[in-house]
Amino acid sequence: MEDNIPKFDLPVDFIVGNSITGEILNQYGRFPCKIKAGIFVLCVQGTVHATVNLTEFTIRKNDFVTLPPGCFIQIHEVSDDVKLCFAGFSSVFVSHINYIKTITNYLPVIFDSPIMPLPEHISLLYQQAFDLLINAYSMPKTIENKEIIKAIFTIFMQGVIELYRNHTPYSNAPMTRNMEICREFVQLAMENYTKEHSVSYYAKRLNITLQHFCYVIKKVSGRTALDILSNIIIMDAKAQLKSTDMPVKKIAFALGFDNLSFFNKYFRQHVGMTPQEYRES
């Protein structure tokens, strides 16, 4: 089962299970991991302290976690008694499903609040659904039928939409224009950080002045737009340095840096060591 845990992606279209332990999860706490697959998790017992994208969370019993492709996660601490149900869909499979169109109105709130606390009776229903899928997964040729997997994925996505639509605080939370700008910026940054490192680019994309853009992001998030953008870039750099043998120069180019020397300086400024020193640490 350890080989099936999605570190970056999944080797098959679909996996489901309930045997992830704290011991296994703690192996993923050394550095951020970029998830290319689509992952859904229900915490049945125990706690997990983790950073998802740019925010730290404590995941507890009855919390449902949604990780769309492109999310970053770093696990900091896991209780010994943790038990999680999970379902994952590979990036190759998800790329053939227009899931963005289905959840486009909910992506910002899912990005901001990927952990949804469920009422006890709803959590029990999801546990039963996971048990059913786990039993079905063991049947011959189930995972070879892409139409069945597509249907399972659709059920998960529709279920997530209903959760965010019907349960507080997401259904009734007022959305100010400043909050919309901040969420749109983070979504744009996640989509474009490997190509665009300039804050002015994102202000222009949002059709507002640079001064107003910087003011809004700082007011809503408590961080500067440049800090948010830098955190995303550094998370990806750390993930690649620790999880691949790719040369540092190639990682730098993949993240939009034309100059290796500048990437080294940029990384040292934010991490306190060079990329190579971080890789060897």
Side-chain angles (χ1 to χ4, degrees):
M1 177 56 68
E2 181 175 343
D3 292 337
N4 288 334
I5 296 176
K7 198 167 189 178
F8 280 92
D9 206 348
L10 296 174
V12 295
D13 287 339
F14 169 61
I15 63 171
V16 63
N18 59 7
S19 58
I20 295 182
T21 64
E23 180 181 357
I24 293 174
L25 281 179
N26 278 319
Q27 296 178 19
Y28 293 83
R30 293 179 297 135
F31 51 86
C33 167
K34 185 174 184 180
I35 303 294
K36 294 183 178 179
I39 308 294
F40 304 90
V41 178
L42 176 67
C43 182
V44 177
Q45 68 180 36
T47 59
V48 179
H49 183 61
T51 295
V52 182
N53 295 320
L54 305 177
T55 307
E56 288 191 17
F57 298 94
T58 298
I59 302 165
R60 298 180 173 86
K61 179 182 178 181
N62 297 332
D63 282 353
F64 189 84
V65 186
T66 304
L67 301 174
C71 285
F72 285 93
I73 184 168
Q74 182 173 8
I75 295 168
H76 304 298
E77 186 176 359
V78 183
S79 66
D80 294 335
D81 64 337
V82 75
K83 181 179 179 182
L84 306 174
C85 298
F86 68 93
F89 302 83
S90 74
S91 63
V92 174
F93 177 80
V94 172
S95 68
H96 293 91
I97 307 294
N98 192 7
Y99 82 99
I100 292 293
K101 183 177 180 181
T102 304
I103 65 168
T104 184
N105 293 332
Y106 293 89
L107 268 179
V109 72
I110 292 173
F111 185 92
D112 283 351
S113 305
I115 288 82
M116 164 73 75
L118 302 182
E120 182 74 25
H121 68 286
I122 299 295
S123 178
L124 288 173
L125 287 176
Y126 270 79
Q127 288 182 50
Q128 293 169 6
F130 274 107
D131 289 341
L132 178 61
L133 286 174
I134 291 168
N135 290 333
Y137 189 78
S138 64
M139 296 174 62
K141 298 185 177 180
T142 298
I143 62 173
E144 298 176 12
N145 190 321
K146 294 189 183 298
E147 290 303 313
I148 291 178
I149 299 174
K150 182 178 178 181
I152 295 171
F153 182 79
T154 300
I155 289 171
F156 268 104
M157 291 311 307
Q158 291 297 331
V160 166
I161 289 173
E162 289 302 310
L163 287 177
Y164 281 90
R165 179 183 292 158
N166 296 327
H167 293 283
T168 58
Y170 313 100
S171 58
N172 299 318
M175 176 64 66
T176 66
R177 176 54 185 154
N178 283 352
M179 292 172 64
E180 288 178 354
I181 289 172
C182 190
R183 286 182 172 181
E184 288 170 7
F185 161 58
V186 173
Q187 187 172 343
L188 281 172
M190 290 294 292
E191 294 169 356
N192 296 279
Y193 70 90
T194 59
K195 303 183 290 291
E196 300 292 345
H197 297 176
S198 170
V199 172
S200 60
Y201 166 83
Y202 297 96
K204 186 175 181 180
R205 282 288 304 270
L206 293 171
N207 199 30
I208 57 179
T209 66
L210 179 59
Q211 182 179 6
H212 182 59
F213 170 75
C214 292
Y215 168 77
V216 168
I217 300 304
K218 178 67 172 179
K219 182 178 180 180
V220 173
S221 69
R223 292 175 287 182
T224 67
L226 188 59
D227 283 342
I228 292 174
L229 186 58
S230 297
N231 284 342
I232 296 172
I233 294 168
I234 292 299
M235 278 194 299
D236 199 336
K238 285 181 174 180
Q240 294 194 58
L241 287 165
K242 285 292 190 179
S243 298
T244 74
D245 296 324
M246 190 182 301
V248 174
K249 184 176 182 179
K250 193 169 183 180
I251 293 174
F253 290 162
L255 291 172
F257 293 88
D258 295 329
N259 185 294
L260 177 58
S261 177
F262 180 69
F263 174 66
N264 284 336
K265 182 179 179 181
Y266 182 91
F267 192 91
R268 179 189 284 274
Q269 177 185 347
H270 290 90
V271 182
M273 62 182 75
T274 68
Q276 190 61 39
E277 287 172 344
Y278 178 79
R279 170 171 271 172
E280 295 171 356
S281 65

